[in-house]
């Protein structure tokens, strides 16, 4: 991991760290119009901070001294947006990150000098890869010896301005955002569509099986279906995805001692498939039960088997009743792909968040994402309605 990770005694119990490559400061940021000029001015104010950071530790340790409230955020872009909209009064972040945001157009200022919060280093799981730590240390030493390390610091951190640019396109406009990021957005869109289509296809199979179980004459099959539906519908999708992606590998490692990571796309597909399958099972059950029960009774009285009656008489009628609900469920599944971005899968929504983290153009970027989803869902819905008319 190389993501501004501060070296602490608690983390040393879990990770092996390289030599420090940066001494971090935490610094307070406020809007340019703010009158806050010292920590004492924060009394009764709300300060935003990213969860799990050294900045959060600093704020927590000094909260009783200065009398402010703390609001935590999962990412920097939402924290800075909250400051701009006035829902918080100040933010505390790593000094280079905050100064970079200012260089990207955030109308902020830093009224208080930064406070040292420790060393930042490269981390690997404890005992897992000492060779990689050694390679990193050697590379860092070479950078420092050649002077390139200082050049990097000067380039990105000198006077809080970033001289590094990946494009000359103005990203303060919607057209500029699209022009500079269309490849990333199209890649994220492709992953979103693949995730939605694959997971829904799997969900259809699983959902039909459990839906058939729910109307089976056998009590054991009905019980299995009921348990499946209740358990999956009772677990929020984000928790289900996190359990599959992080929980199961951790559990396997605790038993076997071997790491068994799950690919993020696979974990997302499994989570979405199970979640949609539970609802599809109920759609199937409802569709079958909507067919007049007398048709099943009449067929069985003529000596036709249960299975054949289902295939030839009940299901053809039930399918027509279920189809609109299948369309709705697919739209829901497509929108649910945004939730699995929580496990790090870079689909369309996560791609947008990454772009926002770089340029802080949240309003324009979220508007672009909303239009993407609106167009896709509208087109798919219209296509599904045409198919529905043909089937009927």
């Amino acid at each position: 991991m190389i993501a501004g990770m501060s070296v602490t005694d608690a983390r040393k119990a879990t990770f092996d760290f390289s030599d420090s490559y940066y001494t971090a400061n935490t610094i307070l940021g406020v809007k340019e119009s703010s009158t806050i000029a010292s920590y004492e001015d924060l009394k009764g104010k709300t300060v935003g901070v990213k969860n799990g950071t050294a900045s959060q530790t600093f704020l927590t340790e000094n909260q009783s001294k200065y009398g402010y409230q703390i609001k935590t955020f999962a990412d920097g872009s939402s924290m800075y947006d909250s400051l701009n909209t006035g829902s918080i009064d100040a933010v505390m972040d790593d000094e280079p990150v905050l100064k970079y945001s200012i260089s990207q157009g955030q109308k902020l200022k830093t009224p208080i000098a930064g406070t040292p919060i420790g060393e930042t280093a490269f981390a690997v799981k404890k005992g897992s890869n000492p060779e990689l730590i050694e390679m990193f240390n050697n590379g860092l030493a070479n950078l420092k010896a050649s002077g390139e390390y200082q050049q990097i610091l000067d380039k990105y951190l000198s006077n809080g301005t970033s001289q590094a640019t990946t494009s000359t396109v103005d990203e303060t406009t919607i057209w500029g955002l699209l022009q500079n990021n269309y490849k990333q957005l199209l890649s994220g869109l492709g992953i979103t569509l693949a995730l939605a289509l694959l997971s829904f296809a799997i969900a259809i199979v699983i959902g039909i099986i459990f839906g058939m179980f729910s109307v089976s004459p056998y009590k054991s099959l009905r019980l299995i279906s009921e348990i499946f539906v209740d358990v999956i519908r009772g677990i929020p999708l984000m928790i289900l995805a996190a359990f599959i992606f992080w929980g199961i590998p951790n559990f396997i490692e605790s038993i076997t001692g071997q790491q068994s990571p799950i690919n993020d796309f696979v974990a997302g597909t499994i989570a979405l498939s199970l979640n949609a399958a539970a609802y599809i099972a109920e759609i199937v059950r409802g569709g079958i039960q909507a067919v007049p029960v007398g048709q099943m009774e009449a067929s069985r009285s003529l000596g036709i088997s249960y299975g054949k009656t289902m295939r030839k008489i009940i299901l053809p009628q039930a399918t027509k009743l279920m189809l609109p609900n299948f369309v709705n469920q697919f739209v829901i599944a497509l929108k649910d792909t945004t939730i699995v971005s929580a496990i790090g899968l870079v689909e369309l929504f996560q791609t947008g968040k990454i772009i926002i983290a770089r340029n802080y153009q949240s309003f324009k970027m979220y508007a672009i994402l909303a239009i993407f989803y609106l167009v896709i869902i509208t087109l798919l819905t219209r296509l599904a309605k045409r198919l529905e008319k043909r089937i009927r």
Side-chain angles (χ1 to χ4, degrees):
M1 178 183 292
I2 180 167
M5 193 173 197
S6 301
V7 181
T8 65
D9 291 337
R11 288 173 176 171
K12 285 180 179 179
T14 306
F15 301 101
D16 287 329
F17 287 96
S18 68
D19 297 336
S20 171
Y21 61 83
Y22 185 70
T23 300
N25 286 344
T26 186
I27 193 168
L28 192 76
V30 297
K31 297 177 74 172
E32 288 182 344
S33 59
S34 174
T35 58
I36 295 173
S38 66
Y39 287 121
E40 286 76 10
D41 294 335
L42 293 174
K43 185 174 183 179
K45 308 289 187 181
T46 301
V47 183
V49 66
K50 287 180 286 189
N51 191 35
T53 61
S55 297
Q56 183 185 20
T57 302
F58 175 85
L59 286 176
T60 302
E61 290 174 349
N62 292 278
Q63 185 175 14
S64 58
K65 180 179 179 180
Y66 295 114
Y68 47 72
Q69 299 297 316
I70 300 173
K71 185 173 183 179
T72 58
F73 295 86
D75 60 84
S77 59
S78 59
M79 180 175 72
Y80 286 104
D81 284 342
S82 295
L83 177 60
N84 288 327
T85 58
S87 61
I88 57 176
D89 302 291
V91 298
M92 179 157 274
D93 206 350
D94 291 348
E95 186 170 4
V97 176
L98 200 151
K99 289 186 173 180
Y100 174 79
S101 73
I102 294 174
S103 74
Q104 295 300 301
Q106 292 286 318
K107 297 185 181 303
L108 308 177
K109 62 181 181 179
T110 54
I112 307 171
T115 302
I117 52 174
E119 303 295 321
T120 302
F122 175 81
V124 299
K125 187 173 182 180
K126 195 169 187 66
S128 67
N129 209 330
E131 297 84 3
L132 187 58
I133 290 288
E134 184 179 359
M135 290 169 62
F136 183 90
N137 288 340
N138 291 337
L140 180 61
N142 290 336
L143 285 174
K144 289 183 176 180
S146 67
E148 189 175 352
Y149 172 82
Q150 189 60 45
Q151 292 175 13
I152 293 172
L153 292 184
D154 293 341
K155 180 177 181 180
Y156 290 96
L157 304 180
S158 179
N159 298 320
T161 61
S162 174
Q163 300 171 14
T165 57
T166 57
S167 172
T168 58
V169 175
D170 180 12
E171 290 195 341
T172 61
T173 66
I174 290 180
W175 174 246
L177 282 171
L178 288 171
Q179 189 177 0
N180 202 37
N181 301 288
Y182 73 93
K183 290 183 180 179
Q184 298 97 306
L185 290 170
L186 290 178
S187 175
L189 176 60
I191 293 174
T192 291
L193 292 176
L195 186 63
L197 291 169
L198 180 59
S199 63
F200 192 73
I202 297 172
I204 284 286
V205 175
I206 299 173
I208 289 175
I209 291 172
F210 281 98
M212 296 296 292
F213 281 1
S214 67
V215 294
S216 170
Y218 301 103
K219 185 177 179 180
S220 58
L221 294 181
R222 295 198 303 272
L223 180 61
I224 291 172
S225 176
E226 184 178 349
I227 292 172
F228 170 78
V229 171
D230 288 347
V231 169
I232 298 300
R233 290 204 306 183
I235 301 175
L237 177 56
M238 186 179 292
I239 294 178
L240 180 61
F243 176 77
I244 294 170
F245 186 63
W246 288 302
I248 292 178
N250 185 265
F251 176 71
I252 293 174
E253 184 180 0
S254 67
I255 295 176
T256 65
Q258 300 293 323
Q259 290 184 324
S260 303
I262 298 177
N263 177 272
D264 53 6
F265 185 87
V266 173
T269 300
I270 294 172
L272 286 169
S273 298
L274 291 175
N275 184 72
Y279 291 94
I280 290 174
E282 287 296 277
I283 291 172
V284 172
R285 179 188 62 79
I288 292 173
Q289 291 181 341
V291 177
V293 69
Q295 296 194 34
M296 172 66 77
E297 295 172 348
S299 178
R300 295 306 304 277
S301 68
L302 294 173
I304 302 174
S305 68
Y306 176 84
K308 191 172 184 179
T309 300
M310 271 290 180
R311 291 195 309 273
K312 300 294 186 179
I313 300 173
I314 305 299
L315 287 179
Q317 299 178 73
T319 300
K320 295 179 180 180
L321 299 172
M322 291 185 284
L323 190 56
N325 292 320
F326 281 158
V327 174
N328 290 335
Q329 188 58 47
F330 178 71
V331 170
I332 292 171
L334 180 60
K335 292 192 287 187
D336 280 349
T337 57
T338 60
I339 296 176
V340 299
S341 65
I343 63 173
L345 181 61
V346 186
E347 39 66 75
L348 183 58
F349 179 59
Q350 182 72 355
T351 300
K353 290 174 67 178
I354 292 171
I355 295 171
I356 291 169
R358 187 186 74 243
N359 56 36
Y360 297 95
Q361 298 295 322
S362 56
F363 174 78
K364 297 180 181 71
M365 194 67 246
Y366 285 133
I368 291 171
L369 294 181
I371 292 171
F372 264 87
Y373 282 106
L374 178 63
V375 170
I376 295 165
I377 291 173
T378 301
L379 290 175
L380 290 174
T381 301
R382 290 185 180 278
L383 176 61
K385 286 182 177 180
R386 286 191 177 185
L387 293 175
E388 181 185 340
K389 287 181 180 179
R390 288 188 178 183
I391 292 175
R392 289 187 172 183

